[in-house]
Amino acid sequence: MKRTFWKEAVVYQIYPRSFQDSNGDGIGDLQGILARLDYLQKLGVTVVWLSPVYKSPNDDNGYDISDYEDIMDEFGTLRDWEELLAGLHERGIKLMMDLVINHSSDEHVWFVESRSSKDNPYRDYYIWRPGGPDGALPNNWSSIFSGPAWEQDETTGEYYLHLFSRKQPDLNWENPRLREALYKMMAFWLDKGVDGLRMDVINLISKVEGLPSVQHEDLAPGELAGGGEYYMNGPRVHEYLQEMNREVLSKYDVMTVGETPGATVEDAILYTDEDRHELQMVFQFEHMDVDSGPGGKWNVVSWTLKGLRDILHKWQVGLADKGWNSLYLNNHDQPRMVSRFGDDGKYRVQSAKMLATLLHTLKGTPYIYQGEEIGMTNVKFPALEDYKDIEILNMYREKVTEGGTDHDTILQAIHSKGRDNARTPMQWNASSNAGFTTGTPWLKLNPRYTEINVEQALADPDSVFYYYQELIRLRKQHPIMVYGEYELLLPEHEYIYAYTRTLDDEKWLILLNFGDTPQTVELTDELNAVTGTIISNYPEEPAAMDRSTLRPYEARVCRIG
Ligand code: NOJ
């Protein structure tokens, strides 16, 4: 397998709004990030992925871009951004920018022009349709942020498509002029020295011709339905990505990861097979659905290790020879991993380290989301008013205010799945507002900041932080962690995820206990062959005779043979 920097990378995601405020307006900014670069260097990460910092009215916190070639006022200026890039590069860290090109903001000049008349030269930059008879919508698709995916525009009376909020109109990729404009914009950033691109919902850019309505016998007339089958991994998506690769990506040494909800292993191979010249890896979502019931994300059900492992295993095997995996358990759209897959109470530290071990020893590129490295947890705000995320607020309106679902049920779902779990400000220390801002934070802090914060983590040699630092150090030292072949053991164990990695004549055994009680593993041959422990989240080595027992949330990486 070809060795590349992006396979060896460890990526750290920054959600700039919540990372570090430098000017007291309660919103994180670029100068704030600059002040924390030494921290990132100490952790050892090799790439920083910045969630969007472009000009935006912030309907969806920057995922609605009104100017692709300038910086959001709250975050600073292009000069601050250049300083940040230089600061990262000085420390040997690469910069990956977020690229949001399935849609723009409705305040982007392209859309302002586009909506102004039917014959405006920018009309075709977006997806416009007349309404149906009797005021019907152009089709029955629902928006991912609730309600219909169509908004009628007063000026021309036509509707535009928005798969996300009505302030995020979808761009029309069928239009070659639009594509060219986007490629030019990408080159603008790559020429400035950007090293990587994370492409927001990139598998939604090609819609099925005719935008057909979802047909289903249970649908009442006028009822909305998902529609994903008509726009996820659509008919021309590979053609577009190959064109983008030819026109832009191939001209730079750039790392790429596509966000691809609904992509299967087979789709991912098409996106990431090196011979196809599209992307290097994708963020798949299957494992993020292990605790969703038939009603979707907000229909929270309990997950099992078997469910989670079967999915991760399928992806490990599926992309073993062609393509490459990204490894993540949380990000700015997902709840905190320690609350979701570990234990954010008694075993917070142990379980955060165990999950970290998984992320750094599966085959693929690990992505750390800010605060994960100190074991930050979900938050349970008591009132809806404490939440700011448009997805949460729209969903609440649809389900409770208009739909009559009980408030407590939905609040509980928000507590376990809401995106604001990940967006509470970074916890730097135990002082007021956790050192995030001297002003009023745009989103309340998680009250646990007095106990869980960076200052505390740096002062404690057994902290989650130092465990991450060690995993990253090991990864840089041992190619087996990046390139070693993965093989599953104990596929039916209720609590233990066990596997080996093998590279040439080196072999490692990884044992992870996802349970809060001791668990026994029957792996006599492997355990007898253990010649040393590489890393573990429990301080003392188990005595030889006890090796087959894993303590609550224990993680052990051993060399065998
Ligand atoms: C995925 C992003 O990660 C999410 O934060 C955003 O709301 C949607 N795409 C729309 O851009």
Side-chain angles (χ1 to χ4, degrees), residues 52-277:
V53 294
Y54 315 96
K55 273 223 182 339
S56 164
N58 284 305
D59 191 52
D60 186 20
N61 292 351
Y63 283 92
D64 48 320
I65 298 171
S66 54
D67 184 346
Y68 284 103
E69 298 188 5
D70 206 350
I71 300 295
M72 188 191 301
D73 293 331
E74 292 91 326
F75 290 174
T77 62
L78 208 45
R79 194 166 295 171
D80 294 322
W81 179 86
E82 273 157 5
E83 210 183 310
L84 176 60
L85 180 68
L88 285 166
H89 284 172
E90 268 161 36
R91 290 168 179 79
I93 302 174
K94 293 180 188 289
L95 176 61
M96 174 186 267
M97 293 286 275
D98 217 309
L99 189 69
V100 188
I101 49 177
N102 171 68
H103 46 268
S104 74
S105 161
D106 65 339
E107 297 182 32
H108 193 291
V109 63
W110 293 342
F111 191 75
V112 175
E113 288 289 328
S114 183
R115 76 181 348 167
S116 68
S117 76
K118 285 190 191 167
D119 51 15
N120 185 281
Y122 289 91
R123 186 68 170 180
D124 242 12
Y125 270 44
Y126 295 86
I127 302 172
W128 292 97
R129 292 290 182 274
D134 306 328
L137 297 166
N139 73 18
N140 64 2
W141 299 357
S142 55
S143 147
I144 293 163
F145 286 166
S146 307
W150 295 95
E151 181 74 7
Q152 190 172 27
D153 194 54
E154 274 178 9
T155 317
T156 61
E158 288 196 334
Y159 292 78
Y160 62 87
L161 178 73
H162 61 89
L163 294 179
F164 293 89
S165 95
R166 58 168 69 109
K167 286 185 68 60
Q168 293 168 297
D170 279 57
L171 290 160
N172 177 21
W173 275 72
E174 301 277 332
N175 179 351
R177 276 181 51 229
L178 176 264
R179 301 204 299 274
E180 213 177 289
L182 292 175
Y183 302 153
K184 207 166 133 234
M185 173 276 286
M186 290 166 68
F188 168 87
W189 290 103
L190 291 164
D191 287 338
K192 284 187 183 297
V194 163
D195 311 284
L197 297 169
R198 174 267 184 193
M199 303 187 191
D200 193 70
V201 290
I202 198 66
N203 65 328
L204 310 192
I205 58 178
S206 166
K207 282 83 177 168
V208 166
E209 212 185 314
L211 311 178
S213 273
V214 179
Q215 308 288 340
H216 197 282
E217 58 205 17
D218 298 340
L219 282 173
E223 191 179 338
L224 298 175
E229 62 271 41
Y230 298 117
Y231 60 75
M232 282 174 172
N233 311 303
R236 296 184 68 187
V237 66
H238 297 292
E239 172 198 332
Y240 295 151
L241 289 175
Q242 284 169 16
E243 178 185 83
M244 177 200 285
N245 193 297
R246 211 168 44 241
E247 298 295 321
V248 199
L249 302 175
S250 61
K251 301 181 178 154
Y252 304 85
D253 186 14
V254 55
M255 170 171 182
T256 54
V257 52
E259 189 204 25
T260 55
T264 61
V265 170
E266 292 70 36
D267 294 319
I269 293 174
L270 297 178
Y271 289 121
T272 67
D273 175 356
E274 288 175 44
D275 296 334
R276 291 175 50 85
H277 305 286

Side-chain angles (χ1 to χ4, degrees), residues 1-2 10 97 108 129 196 212 224 261 270 303 308 327 363 365 381 402-403 406 428 440 491 494 518 527 542 556:
M1 175 163 279
K2 210 160 80 202
V10 177
M97 293 286 275
H108 193 291
R129 292 290 182 274
L224 298 175
L270 297 178
W303 62 278
L308 179 67
L327 305 166
K363 188 171 177 186
T365 300
F381 290 137
E402 292 161 7
D406 155 65
W428 295 105
T440 309
E494 210 180 332
L527 291 171
R556 235 187 282 152

Side-chain angles (χ1 to χ4, degrees), residues 334-547:
Q334 299 292 337
R336 290 282 177 184
M337 73 177 193
V338 70
S339 300
R340 191 176 189 182
F341 299 115
D343 171 0
D344 62 11
K346 180 170 173 198
Y347 293 112
R348 182 183 68 86
V349 170
Q350 290 85 345
S351 64
K353 291 177 181 176
M354 184 277 290
L355 295 169
T357 315
L358 174 78
L359 289 170
H360 292 260
T361 59
L362 282 177
K363 188 171 177 186
T365 300
Y367 286 75
I368 303 169
Y369 178 65
Q370 68 184 38
E372 176 188 323
E373 78 283 10
I374 55 166
M376 277 177 63
T377 59
N378 278 355
V379 71
K380 289 190 163 85
F381 290 137
L384 186 72
E385 293 69 57
D386 295 328
Y387 288 95
K388 302 284 179 248
D389 174 22
I390 184 164
E391 182 190 35
I392 293 178
L393 300 179
N394 285 0
M395 177 279 289
Y396 185 91
R397 183 165 14 90
E398 183 172 278
K399 289 201 192 303
V400 181
T401 321
E402 292 161 7
T405 312
D406 155 65
H407 164 88
D408 291 343
T409 309
I410 294 299
L411 193 65
Q412 238 177 48
I414 294 172
H415 288 166
S416 44
K417 287 287 195 69
R419 304 195 299 181
D420 281 342
N421 278 308
R423 299 175 179 186
T424 60
M426 181 71 183
Q427 295 159 199
W428 295 105
N429 58 46
S431 74
S432 70
N433 292 326
F436 164 68
T437 182
T438 53
T440 309
W442 72 275
L443 177 68
K444 278 198 191 162
L445 281 110
N446 185 325
R448 293 185 71 181
Y449 73 84
T450 51
E451 155 215 358
I452 305 167
N453 60 65
V454 168
E455 200 173 283
Q456 181 283 331
L458 294 180
D460 173 7
D462 284 332
S463 68
V464 179
F465 177 91
Y466 288 116
Y467 192 84
Y468 269 82
Q469 188 188 50
E470 180 62 7
L471 281 170
I472 297 168
R473 197 187 61 76
L474 287 167
R475 208 163 183 282
K476 289 176 183 165
Q477 224 175 38
H478 298 282
I480 187 175
M481 289 175 80
V482 181
Y483 299 106
E485 189 189 318
Y486 156 99
E487 201 176 332
L488 180 66
L489 303 168
L490 305 173
E492 298 301 328
H493 201 293
E494 210 180 332
Y495 295 103
I496 306 282
Y497 192 173
Y499 48 98
T500 55
R501 299 288 305 277
T502 310
L503 187 67
D504 304 326
D505 50 6
E506 203 178 352
K507 188 163 184 168
W508 289 13
L509 170 68
I510 294 100
L511 299 172
L512 308 169
N513 182 1
F514 276 73
D516 60 4
T517 54
Q519 296 293 328
T520 309
V521 286
E522 284 181 24
L523 287 172
T524 320
D525 290 350
E526 286 82 356
L527 291 171
N528 281 340
V530 164
T531 51
T533 302
I534 292 163
I535 187 168
S536 163
N537 60 349
Y538 274 77
E540 35 356 307
E541 273 273 306
M545 55 177 291
D546 285 342
R547 278 208 192 124

